[in-house]
Amino acid sequence: MGLIDRQYLARPYYGSRRMAAWLATQGHVVNRKRVRRLMRLIGLVTIYQRPNTSKAAVAHKVYPYLLGGIAIERVNQVWCSDVTYIPMAKGFLYLVVVMDWVEPCRAGVAAVETRSAPIFVSRHSRSTRALWSA
């Protein structure tokens, strides 16, 4: 454990794999899982650059939230939509939902096989009622 601690101070970016390989060069053949357990026991966490996915790009435009301060109280005042894809054996099935915020049962659902196909959202169909009554 002392060797691992000293090597971690010199190279904090070494994970359990590299640490096990380094210990093997020092004459201590140790399993990677044991090194991982010992590093966890000592409280050593590998330092590495994590993805910066939450930072917005400077060139991207920030759109304002237009519904701030509006009381949504009546039907047909605010609608929302969502498009998602479902992986199939050959390609994807795109599912489109358009929904009223006040009455979720007033929704439209459409499923298309290609992104270039026109989307016709059917309202008040049996499948829509079954979807929202569950």
Side-chain angles (χ1 to χ4, degrees):
M1 283 180 21
L3 271 172
I4 293 173
D5 196 25
R6 281 194 294 275
Q7 183 65 7
Y8 178 80
L9 288 174
R11 292 178 178 81
Y13 50 88
Y14 272 20
S16 60
R17 293 174 194 267
R18 282 182 85 178
M19 191 68 75
W22 178 80
L23 285 169
T25 63
Q26 300 299 312
H28 303 281
V29 181
V30 185
N31 188 350
R32 180 186 67 87
K33 292 177 186 176
R34 183 176 186 145
V35 172
R36 184 176 66 182
R37 183 181 60 81
L38 291 172
M39 286 179 71
R40 199 179 315 137
L41 185 70
I42 302 170
L44 303 179
V45 180
T46 306
I47 297 173
Y48 60 95
Q49 185 168 357
R50 286 163 176 82
N52 232 347
T53 56
S54 295
K55 269 191 182 171
V58 178
H60 290 178
K61 183 178 179 183
V62 177
Y63 293 95
Y65 183 65
L66 300 175
L67 298 176
I70 296 177
I72 303 165
E73 300 167 342
R74 65 188 189 316
V75 178
N76 279 340
Q77 186 179 3
V78 177
W79 289 77
C80 64
S81 65
D82 190 23
V83 179
T84 188
Y85 64 94
I86 302 166
M88 304 296 281
K90 292 184 178 179
F92 297 99
L93 179 70
Y94 296 92
L95 180 68
V96 180
V97 176
V98 179
M99 185 177 76
D100 187 359
W101 274 21
V102 174
E103 287 187 26
C105 62
R106 293 177 46 101
V109 178
V112 292
E113 292 181 13
T114 61
R115 289 192 328 196
S116 61
I119 298 172
F120 300 103
V121 177
S122 62
R123 287 184 50 204
H124 299 290
S125 65
R126 289 183 187 150
S127 63
T128 306
R129 286 192 203 113
L131 178 69
W132 293 106
S133 63

PDB file of all heavy atoms in Angstrom, residues 74-96:
ATOM      1  N   ARG A  74     -56.034  27.597 -19.397  1.00  0.00           N
ATOM      2  CA  ARG A  74     -57.091  27.144 -20.282  1.00  0.00           C
ATOM      3  C   ARG A  74     -56.552  26.232 -21.375  1.00  0.00           C
ATOM      4  O   ARG A  74     -55.357  26.210 -21.667  1.00  0.00           O
ATOM      5  CB  ARG A  74     -57.838  28.317 -20.872  1.00  0.00           C
ATOM      6  CG  ARG A  74     -57.033  29.212 -21.785  1.00  0.00           C
ATOM      7  CD  ARG A  74     -57.842  30.453 -22.150  1.00  0.00           C
ATOM      8  NE  ARG A  74     -57.350  31.337 -23.153  1.00  0.00           N
ATOM      9  CZ  ARG A  74     -56.142  31.789 -23.320  1.00  0.00           C
ATOM     10  NH1 ARG A  74     -55.193  31.386 -22.554  1.00  0.00           N
ATOM     11  NH2 ARG A  74     -55.837  32.641 -24.264  1.00  0.00           N
ATOM     12  N   VAL A  75     -57.472  25.499 -21.957  1.00  0.00           N
ATOM     13  CA  VAL A  75     -57.154  24.560 -23.029  1.00  0.00           C
ATOM     14  C   VAL A  75     -56.723  25.350 -24.271  1.00  0.00           C
ATOM     15  O   VAL A  75     -57.190  26.468 -24.500  1.00  0.00           O
ATOM     16  CB  VAL A  75     -58.388  23.679 -23.330  1.00  0.00           C
ATOM     17  CG1 VAL A  75     -58.115  22.734 -24.479  1.00  0.00           C
ATOM     18  CG2 VAL A  75     -58.773  22.901 -22.092  1.00  0.00           C
ATOM     19  N   ASN A  76     -55.849  24.784 -25.052  1.00  0.00           N
ATOM     20  CA  ASN A  76     -55.316  25.378 -26.290  1.00  0.00           C
ATOM     21  C   ASN A  76     -54.448  26.609 -26.043  1.00  0.00           C
ATOM     22  O   ASN A  76     -54.180  27.365 -26.956  1.00  0.00           O
ATOM     23  CB  ASN A  76     -56.427  25.738 -27.279  1.00  0.00           C
ATOM     24  CG  ASN A  76     -56.887  24.543 -28.057  1.00  0.00           C
ATOM     25  OD1 ASN A  76     -56.180  23.547 -28.151  1.00  0.00           O
ATOM     26  ND2 ASN A  76     -58.080  24.636 -28.611  1.00  0.00           N
ATOM     27  N   GLN A  77     -54.013  26.816 -24.827  1.00  0.00           N
ATOM     28  CA  GLN A  77     -53.150  27.960 -24.545  1.00  0.00           C
ATOM     29  C   GLN A  77     -51.687  27.597 -24.807  1.00  0.00           C
ATOM     30  O   GLN A  77     -50.969  28.374 -25.429  1.00  0.00           O
ATOM     31  CB  GLN A  77     -53.333  28.415 -23.102  1.00  0.00           C
ATOM     32  CG  GLN A  77     -52.589  29.685 -22.762  1.00  0.00           C
ATOM     33  CD  GLN A  77     -52.817  30.126 -21.329  1.00  0.00           C
ATOM     34  OE1 GLN A  77     -53.486  29.453 -20.553  1.00  0.00           O
ATOM     35  NE2 GLN A  77     -52.252  31.261 -20.977  1.00  0.00           N
ATOM     36  N   VAL A  78     -51.249  26.423 -24.340  1.00  0.00           N
ATOM     37  CA  VAL A  78     -49.865  25.991 -24.524  1.00  0.00           C
ATOM     38  C   VAL A  78     -49.859  24.523 -24.930  1.00  0.00           C
ATOM     39  O   VAL A  78     -50.516  23.698 -24.299  1.00  0.00           O
ATOM     40  CB  VAL A  78     -49.041  26.184 -23.232  1.00  0.00           C
ATOM     41  CG1 VAL A  78     -47.628  25.662 -23.415  1.00  0.00           C
ATOM     42  CG2 VAL A  78     -49.018  27.630 -22.816  1.00  0.00           C
ATOM     43  N   TRP A  79     -49.111  24.237 -25.980  1.00  0.00           N
ATOM     44  CA  TRP A  79     -48.926  22.865 -26.449  1.00  0.00           C
ATOM     45  C   TRP A  79     -47.443  22.527 -26.377  1.00  0.00           C
ATOM     46  O   TRP A  79     -46.586  23.403 -26.438  1.00  0.00           O
ATOM     47  CB  TRP A  79     -49.407  22.732 -27.896  1.00  0.00           C
ATOM     48  CG  TRP A  79     -50.888  22.812 -28.043  1.00  0.00           C
ATOM     49  CD1 TRP A  79     -51.657  23.935 -27.997  1.00  0.00           C
ATOM     50  CD2 TRP A  79     -51.771  21.729 -28.236  1.00  0.00           C
ATOM     51  NE1 TRP A  79     -52.961  23.622 -28.150  1.00  0.00           N
ATOM     52  CE2 TRP A  79     -53.076  22.264 -28.309  1.00  0.00           C
ATOM     53  CE3 TRP A  79     -51.613  20.353 -28.363  1.00  0.00           C
ATOM     54  CZ2 TRP A  79     -54.191  21.478 -28.508  1.00  0.00           C
ATOM     55  CZ3 TRP A  79     -52.725  19.581 -28.566  1.00  0.00           C
ATOM     56  CH2 TRP A  79     -54.001  20.121 -28.626  1.00  0.00           C
ATOM     57  N   CYS A  80     -47.147  21.259 -26.252  1.00  0.00           N
ATOM     58  CA  CYS A  80     -45.751  20.820 -26.292  1.00  0.00           C
ATOM     59  C   CYS A  80     -45.654  19.619 -27.216  1.00  0.00           C
ATOM     60  O   CYS A  80     -46.660  18.976 -27.529  1.00  0.00           O
ATOM     61  CB  CYS A  80     -45.241  20.470 -24.899  1.00  0.00           C
ATOM     62  SG  CYS A  80     -46.082  19.091 -24.146  1.00  0.00           S
ATOM     63  N   SER A  81     -44.457  19.345 -27.660  1.00  0.00           N
ATOM     64  CA  SER A  81     -44.255  18.199 -28.559  1.00  0.00           C
ATOM     65  C   SER A  81     -42.926  17.529 -28.229  1.00  0.00           C
ATOM     66  O   SER A  81     -42.036  18.131 -27.638  1.00  0.00           O
ATOM     67  CB  SER A  81     -44.268  18.650 -30.018  1.00  0.00           C
ATOM     68  OG  SER A  81     -43.173  19.498 -30.263  1.00  0.00           O
ATOM     69  N   ASP A  82     -42.835  16.288 -28.635  1.00  0.00           N
ATOM     70  CA  ASP A  82     -41.606  15.539 -28.429  1.00  0.00           C
ATOM     71  C   ASP A  82     -41.475  14.522 -29.546  1.00  0.00           C
ATOM     72  O   ASP A  82     -42.472  13.949 -30.001  1.00  0.00           O
ATOM     73  CB  ASP A  82     -41.612  14.838 -27.075  1.00  0.00           C
ATOM     74  CG  ASP A  82     -40.254  14.242 -26.730  1.00  0.00           C
ATOM     75  OD1 ASP A  82     -39.237  14.716 -27.281  1.00  0.00           O
ATOM     76  OD2 ASP A  82     -40.204  13.304 -25.925  1.00  0.00           O
ATOM     77  N   VAL A  83     -40.269  14.312 -29.989  1.00  0.00           N
ATOM     78  CA  VAL A  83     -39.963  13.308 -31.002  1.00  0.00           C
ATOM     79  C   VAL A  83     -38.910  12.393 -30.412  1.00  0.00           C
ATOM     80  O   VAL A  83     -37.895  12.854 -29.896  1.00  0.00           O
ATOM     81  CB  VAL A  83     -39.429  13.947 -32.307  1.00  0.00           C
ATOM     82  CG1 VAL A  83     -39.102  12.883 -33.329  1.00  0.00           C
ATOM     83  CG2 VAL A  83     -40.414  14.941 -32.863  1.00  0.00           C
ATOM     84  N   THR A  84     -39.141  11.112 -30.466  1.00  0.00           N
ATOM     85  CA  THR A  84     -38.167  10.150 -29.986  1.00  0.00           C
ATOM     86  C   THR A  84     -38.078   9.019 -30.997  1.00  0.00           C
ATOM     87  O   THR A  84     -38.946   8.876 -31.857  1.00  0.00           O
ATOM     88  CB  THR A  84     -38.531   9.621 -28.585  1.00  0.00           C
ATOM     89  OG1 THR A  84     -37.453   8.836 -28.103  1.00  0.00           O
ATOM     90  CG2 THR A  84     -39.789   8.787 -28.617  1.00  0.00           C
ATOM     91  N   TYR A  85     -37.031   8.246 -30.924  1.00  0.00           N
ATOM     92  CA  TYR A  85     -36.895   7.134 -31.854  1.00  0.00           C
ATOM     93  C   TYR A  85     -36.813   5.830 -31.085  1.00  0.00           C
ATOM     94  O   TYR A  85     -36.307   5.760 -29.974  1.00  0.00           O
ATOM     95  CB  TYR A  85     -35.680   7.314 -32.763  1.00  0.00           C
ATOM     96  CG  TYR A  85     -34.362   7.300 -32.055  1.00  0.00           C
ATOM     97  CD1 TYR A  85     -33.640   6.117 -31.944  1.00  0.00           C
ATOM     98  CD2 TYR A  85     -33.819   8.452 -31.513  1.00  0.00           C
ATOM     99  CE1 TYR A  85     -32.421   6.086 -31.304  1.00  0.00           C
ATOM    100  CE2 TYR A  85     -32.598   8.434 -30.869  1.00  0.00           C
ATOM    101  CZ  TYR A  85     -31.918   7.248 -30.768  1.00  0.00           C
ATOM    102  OH  TYR A  85     -30.711   7.213 -30.127  1.00  0.00           O
ATOM    103  N   ILE A  86     -37.352   4.799 -31.717  1.00  0.00           N
ATOM    104  CA  ILE A  86     -37.351   3.464 -31.145  1.00  0.00           C
ATOM    105  C   ILE A  86     -36.540   2.577 -32.079  1.00  0.00           C
ATOM    106  O   ILE A  86     -36.886   2.435 -33.254  1.00  0.00           O
ATOM    107  CB  ILE A  86     -38.793   2.928 -31.013  1.00  0.00           C
ATOM    108  CG1 ILE A  86     -39.615   3.890 -30.152  1.00  0.00           C
ATOM    109  CG2 ILE A  86     -38.798   1.528 -30.431  1.00  0.00           C
ATOM    110  CD1 ILE A  86     -41.099   3.662 -30.232  1.00  0.00           C
ATOM    111  N   PRO A  87     -35.444   1.972 -31.621  1.00  0.00           N
ATOM    112  CA  PRO A  87     -34.650   1.116 -32.495  1.00  0.00           C
ATOM    113  C   PRO A  87     -35.436  -0.137 -32.887  1.00  0.00           C
ATOM    114  O   PRO A  87     -36.037  -0.787 -32.044  1.00  0.00           O
ATOM    115  CB  PRO A  87     -33.422   0.764 -31.668  1.00  0.00           C
ATOM    116  CG  PRO A  87     -33.613   1.344 -30.326  1.00  0.00           C
ATOM    117  CD  PRO A  87     -34.862   2.125 -30.307  1.00  0.00           C
ATOM    118  N   MET A  88     -35.421  -0.428 -34.176  1.00  0.00           N
ATOM    119  CA  MET A  88     -36.099  -1.613 -34.704  1.00  0.00           C
ATOM    120  C   MET A  88     -35.050  -2.503 -35.378  1.00  0.00           C
ATOM    121  O   MET A  88     -33.872  -2.162 -35.428  1.00  0.00           O
ATOM    122  CB  MET A  88     -37.178  -1.199 -35.713  1.00  0.00           C
ATOM    123  CG  MET A  88     -38.204  -0.228 -35.162  1.00  0.00           C
ATOM    124  SD  MET A  88     -39.177  -0.892 -33.836  1.00  0.00           S
ATOM    125  CE  MET A  88     -40.340  -1.855 -34.714  1.00  0.00           C
ATOM    126  N   ALA A  89     -35.483  -3.639 -35.895  1.00  0.00           N
ATOM    127  CA  ALA A  89     -34.553  -4.567 -36.552  1.00  0.00           C
ATOM    128  C   ALA A  89     -33.886  -3.921 -37.760  1.00  0.00           C
ATOM    129  O   ALA A  89     -32.693  -4.091 -37.987  1.00  0.00           O
ATOM    130  CB  ALA A  89     -35.289  -5.836 -36.961  1.00  0.00           C
ATOM    131  N   LYS A  90     -34.654  -3.168 -38.542  1.00  0.00           N
ATOM    132  CA  LYS A  90     -34.105  -2.479 -39.714  1.00  0.00           C
ATOM    133  C   LYS A  90     -34.388  -0.994 -39.594  1.00  0.00           C
ATOM    134  O   LYS A  90     -35.415  -0.510 -40.046  1.00  0.00           O
ATOM    135  CB  LYS A  90     -34.728  -3.029 -40.998  1.00  0.00           C
ATOM    136  CG  LYS A  90     -34.337  -4.448 -41.295  1.00  0.00           C
ATOM    137  CD  LYS A  90     -34.910  -4.898 -42.606  1.00  0.00           C
ATOM    138  CE  LYS A  90     -34.465  -6.312 -42.920  1.00  0.00           C
ATOM    139  NZ  LYS A  90     -35.022  -6.798 -44.163  1.00  0.00           N
ATOM    140  N   GLY A  91     -33.534  -0.269 -38.937  1.00  0.00           N
ATOM    141  CA  GLY A  91     -33.692   1.171 -38.798  1.00  0.00           C
ATOM    142  C   GLY A  91     -34.377   1.568 -37.514  1.00  0.00           C
ATOM    143  O   GLY A  91     -34.253   0.902 -36.485  1.00  0.00           O
ATOM    144  N   PHE A  92     -35.143   2.663 -37.598  1.00  0.00           N
ATOM    145  CA  PHE A  92     -35.792   3.228 -36.418  1.00  0.00           C
ATOM    146  C   PHE A  92     -37.245   3.526 -36.721  1.00  0.00           C
ATOM    147  O   PHE A  92     -37.624   3.749 -37.860  1.00  0.00           O
ATOM    148  CB  PHE A  92     -35.101   4.530 -35.991  1.00  0.00           C
ATOM    149  CG  PHE A  92     -33.682   4.341 -35.571  1.00  0.00           C
ATOM    150  CD1 PHE A  92     -32.642   4.615 -36.438  1.00  0.00           C
ATOM    151  CD2 PHE A  92     -33.387   3.894 -34.299  1.00  0.00           C
ATOM    152  CE1 PHE A  92     -31.334   4.441 -36.046  1.00  0.00           C
ATOM    153  CE2 PHE A  92     -32.076   3.713 -33.896  1.00  0.00           C
ATOM    154  CZ  PHE A  92     -31.050   3.986 -34.778  1.00  0.00           C
ATOM    155  N   LEU A  93     -38.040   3.575 -35.668  1.00  0.00           N
ATOM    156  CA  LEU A  93     -39.419   4.029 -35.742  1.00  0.00           C
ATOM    157  C   LEU A  93     -39.475   5.316 -34.938  1.00  0.00           C
ATOM    158  O   LEU A  93     -39.094   5.344 -33.763  1.00  0.00           O
ATOM    159  CB  LEU A  93     -40.371   2.988 -35.141  1.00  0.00           C
ATOM    160  CG  LEU A  93     -41.842   3.355 -35.146  1.00  0.00           C
ATOM    161  CD1 LEU A  93     -42.374   3.327 -36.575  1.00  0.00           C
ATOM    162  CD2 LEU A  93     -42.628   2.408 -34.278  1.00  0.00           C
ATOM    163  N   TYR A  94     -39.918   6.395 -35.571  1.00  0.00           N
ATOM    164  CA  TYR A  94     -39.953   7.692 -34.918  1.00  0.00           C
ATOM    165  C   TYR A  94     -41.343   7.908 -34.340  1.00  0.00           C
ATOM    166  O   TYR A  94     -42.338   7.794 -35.045  1.00  0.00           O
ATOM    167  CB  TYR A  94     -39.585   8.801 -35.905  1.00  0.00           C
ATOM    168  CG  TYR A  94     -38.174   8.651 -36.387  1.00  0.00           C
ATOM    169  CD1 TYR A  94     -37.881   7.931 -37.537  1.00  0.00           C
ATOM    170  CD2 TYR A  94     -37.125   9.196 -35.670  1.00  0.00           C
ATOM    171  CE1 TYR A  94     -36.580   7.767 -37.963  1.00  0.00           C
ATOM    172  CE2 TYR A  94     -35.823   9.043 -36.088  1.00  0.00           C
ATOM    173  CZ  TYR A  94     -35.555   8.321 -37.227  1.00  0.00           C
ATOM    174  OH  TYR A  94     -34.274   8.155 -37.643  1.00  0.00           O
ATOM    175  N   LEU A  95     -41.412   8.223 -33.067  1.00  0.00           N
ATOM    176  CA  LEU A  95     -42.669   8.441 -32.369  1.00  0.00           C
ATOM    177  C   LEU A  95     -42.789   9.925 -32.056  1.00  0.00           C
ATOM    178  O   LEU A  95     -41.907  10.512 -31.440  1.00  0.00           O
ATOM    179  CB  LEU A  95     -42.712   7.628 -31.072  1.00  0.00           C
ATOM    180  CG  LEU A  95     -43.962   7.756 -30.229  1.00  0.00           C
ATOM    181  CD1 LEU A  95     -45.146   7.138 -30.947  1.00  0.00           C
ATOM    182  CD2 LEU A  95     -43.755   7.084 -28.889  1.00  0.00           C
ATOM    183  N   VAL A  96     -43.892  10.528 -32.496  1.00  0.00           N
ATOM    184  CA  VAL A  96     -44.128  11.949 -32.316  1.00  0.00           C
ATOM    185  C   VAL A  96     -45.357  12.115 -31.433  1.00  0.00           C
ATOM    186  O   VAL A  96     -46.386  11.489 -31.673  1.00  0.00           O
ATOM    187  CB  VAL A  96     -44.361  12.652 -33.673  1.00  0.00           C
ATOM    188  CG1 VAL A  96     -44.608  14.133 -33.480  1.00  0.00           C
ATOM    189  CG2 VAL A  96     -43.195  12.414 -34.598  1.00  0.00           C
TER     190      VAL A  96
END
